[in-house]
Amino acid sequence: MRPRTDRGMALLEVLVALAILSGAGLALLDPVTAGLRAERESRERERVLAVEDRVLTALTLLTRTELDRRLGRHPIGELMADIQRPERTLYRIAVAEQQSPEGEDLLAVVDRREPSSCP
């Protein structure tokens, strides 16, 4: 038979082991939460970039006259489009989120020659 001093030791050892395991579990909780948050943010960013890509594609298909009418910065839904004409036949088209219009997410430069008057 065990001496009287050993009676509660097994229970105490189990409690200490559980405390260590729960501490380790809590330590793993932060990286898992951060990983899930990063995944959610990257999915949202991917969605926004897909929308921006579609808008930029549509703007690059515009004719010279249509681009001239849209020169400047204009909201398009949740996005901001900035169309500039740095040279006579070149158009710079940038698309960004409205919350941060100073940063451009996507950019394209298109060349629109003037229609020739010769048949």
Side-chain angles (χ1 to χ4, degrees), residues 71 83-93 108-110:
L71 287 176
I83 301 174
Q84 300 172 3
R85 190 172 68 189
E87 293 184 22
R88 206 171 64 126
T89 61
L90 288 181
Y91 292 86
R92 181 184 185 277
I93 305 168
V109 176
V110 295

Side-chain angles (χ1 to χ4, degrees), residues 37-47:
R37 186 180 317 110
E39 180 189 10
R40 185 174 49 251
E41 290 170 357
S42 65
R43 284 180 193 262
E44 176 60 21
R45 183 71 182 134
E46 186 176 349
R47 183 197 67 78

